[in-house]
Amino acid sequence: MSSLYHSVSQGDGSYAQLPPLPSHSRQSTSPAPPLPPRGLQHRSSSEADLQQLQENSLQLRNNDHGFREIIPLPRPLSMLDLAPQPTHGCLLRVAYQGVPGAYSEMAAGNAYPNCEAVPCEQFEAAFQAVEQWVVDRAVLPIENSLGGSIHRNYDLLLRHRLHIVGEVQLAVHHCLLGIPGVKKEELVRVLSHPQALAQCEHTLSKLNVIREAVDDTAGAAQFIAANNLRDTGAVASSRAAEIYGLEVLADGIQDDSDNVTRFLMLAREPIMPRTDRPFKTSITFTLEEGPGSLFKALAVFALRDLNLTKIESRPLRKRPLRVADDGSDGAKSVYFDYLFFVDFEASMAEQRAQNALRHLQEFATFLRVLGSYPMDVSIKACPTSQ
């Protein structure tokens, strides 16, 4: 899990940075301990405590005698941990971002049943784990039906040379978690990923709690359990409650029940495209600036009855701006240069898909196939507390 950071909703959808909160004990009703800022490399003593927690991730559960016992969990990989690992028989090792109990871990289990799910601190660590043969696959989110695209992973797809070999769609089911015995009305603050907090706006507003954004949902649950924060709740999955010994205070608290996240399955080598089942192909390309250039690019698919399921544009990082003449008066205009990501329904084994990309290549300045892979035509249900 990456460092937690402390920010509070201002009521308009944004989060403001706050100074550290006072310390917190188990018996005290004073505010909980501060959450360290995101991305700090040099940690204070309080931040070192959180680092120790990350290095010794725990699962808490009640044993047969009514006492809470501690079970070690795998520590998330950082980019410093990426050394070759010993093989574990024929068990497939699959990287995901977060800690045990994260929605990404569930997606990895749905994509590769019976795999060994390997947690990573950051998205980039998951990419590098596959490239350096630490793991066999990675399963990472690319878009959400409410929150939109995960731009960081679009950028990483271009930076790294992994191939998309599949996709999995997971229905997200948020729960409000807390320390056992606590009522939801007693909560003062709630921690979770910013998107999860936004997706539960209605419920959290009725509770009148402070919302604090952290890096991932399961990490919020882990933090609350490890510090026994009785005035703090987490928006996370019911599986996170089970792993960290928390209680589900409210089930299904998302504002919109149609909350689905699409994950990509990544590998070092592409798979062989086929025509005996529905396939999807993902590409990225750039175009010369000019009237109708994007129209011409998209027309190569329409002419061949290829259905586009996704189009995303990202400014080119190394060449984001272009200066061009705007007319005879010598005026200059500044344009963004864009990189386009497109998904379309077809296999690269189909002649029409090959012809479309040959046509696009005639005027595209750059073209790369990210993967041709089986479509996920179902939506996997997220476990509930029932």
Side-chain angles (χ1 to χ4, degrees):
M1 181 183 69
S2 54
S3 301
L4 300 170
Y5 63 92
H6 178 205
S7 57
V8 178
S9 172
Q10 303 186 95
D12 59 357
S14 61
Y15 294 87
Q17 293 287 344
L18 291 185
L21 298 171
S23 61
H24 178 83
S25 66
R26 291 189 176 204
Q27 293 77 22
S28 172
T29 58
S30 60
L35 301 177
R38 177 196 292 266
L40 288 185
Q41 299 300 316
H42 303 284
R43 295 178 170 86
S44 64
S45 59
S46 62
E47 292 166 335
D49 294 338
L50 182 58
Q51 176 66 19
Q52 184 64 33
L53 166 64
Q54 295 170 349
E55 293 176 354
N56 301 279
S57 300
L58 304 177
Q59 175 178 348
L60 305 177
R61 73 179 184 193
N62 294 328
N63 62 20
D64 295 337
H65 304 288
F67 296 101
R68 302 180 90 190
E69 59 182 354
I70 298 174
I71 303 171
L73 290 174
R75 181 176 63 86
L77 290 176
S78 71
M79 285 183 283
L80 299 178
D81 299 319
L82 299 180
Q85 300 292 317
T87 59
H88 298 258
C90 59
L91 197 64
L92 200 68
R93 289 168 55 86
V94 180
Y96 69 92
Q97 188 274 327
V99 297
Y103 292 109
S104 291
E105 183 196 33
M106 297 179 205
N110 284 325
Y112 299 103
N114 303 318
C115 72
E116 179 189 352
V118 179
C120 296
E121 284 188 347
Q122 302 286 354
F123 292 131
E124 187 157 17
F127 274 85
Q128 292 188 2
V130 180
E131 288 181 326
Q132 299 180 24
W133 296 75
V134 178
V135 298
D136 305 293
R137 302 282 191 276
V139 173
L140 298 171
I142 197 65
E143 61 179 331
N144 176 265
S145 58
L146 302 180
S149 299
I150 292 114
H151 295 127
R152 176 62 175 162
N153 283 338
Y154 274 107
D155 293 340
L156 290 172
L157 279 172
L158 192 66
R159 183 180 304 173
H160 297 268
R161 298 297 298 183
L162 299 184
H163 301 269
I164 304 173
V165 295
E167 64 176 359
V168 60
Q169 299 183 102
L170 182 72
V172 176
H173 189 87
H174 291 310
C175 299
L176 181 62
L177 313 183
I179 297 294
V182 171
K183 292 181 171 49
K184 63 181 180 181
E185 292 77 16
E186 299 174 15
L187 297 179
V188 175
R189 64 176 184 163
V190 171
L191 313 181
S192 196
H193 187 275
Q195 281 199 10
L197 293 174
Q199 292 164 8
C200 303
E201 176 70 26
H202 182 65
T203 299
L204 299 180
S205 294
K206 287 197 298 184
L207 290 175
N208 195 30
V209 291
I210 298 171
R211 279 149 279 182
E212 301 182 13
V214 297
D215 279 348
D216 65 88
T217 56
Q222 182 190 58
F223 185 76
I224 290 168
N227 290 279
N228 196 40
L229 306 181
R230 302 187 64 83
D231 64 349
T232 305
V235 175
S237 67
S238 59
R239 172 166 163 72
E242 179 183 335
I243 290 174
Y244 300 111
L246 298 178
E247 188 173 308
V248 176
L249 308 182
D251 185 55
I253 64 171
Q254 61 271 12
D255 298 342
D256 192 330
S257 58
D258 296 326
N259 185 2
V260 178
T261 299
R262 176 175 168 244
F263 294 81
L264 297 181
M265 299 147 66
L266 304 174
R268 288 180 291 273
E269 299 294 335
I271 61 171
M272 183 70 69
R274 294 159 52 180
T275 58
D276 58 348
R277 59 177 295 183
F279 258 62
K280 182 183 289 184
T281 298
S282 297
I283 65 171
T284 181
F285 60 90
T286 56
L287 300 168
E288 286 288 350
E289 176 64 35
S293 59
L294 181 57
F295 172 82
K296 289 188 292 186
L298 300 182
V300 306
F301 303 102
L303 290 171
R304 296 166 178 86
D305 293 323
L306 293 171
N307 183 43
L308 301 186
T309 60
K310 171 78 174 179
I311 181 168
E312 179 82 18
S313 62
R314 299 285 292 148
L316 279 173
R317 299 178 71 89
K318 294 184 178 179
R319 192 163 48 93
L321 294 176
R322 177 199 299 269
V323 179
D325 291 331
D326 198 28
S328 57
D329 58 356
K332 299 287 185 181
S333 293
V334 177
Y335 300 93
F336 281 101
D337 268 341
Y338 285 99
L339 185 76
F340 297 95
F341 292 88
V342 166
D343 295 344
F344 61 91
E345 293 180 346
S347 166
M348 282 307 297
E350 297 180 55
Q351 192 63 47
R352 60 179 183 152
Q354 297 174 23
N355 291 340
L357 295 196
R358 286 193 191 98
H359 192 176
L360 178 60
Q361 202 167 22
E362 291 177 6
F363 47 87
T365 55
F366 165 79
L367 173 63
R368 177 176 155 193
V369 177
L370 300 171
S372 189
Y373 49 92
M375 289 177 58
D376 185 7
V377 295
S378 63
I379 297 177
K380 279 67 175 180
C382 185
T384 68
S385 63
Q386 302 301 319

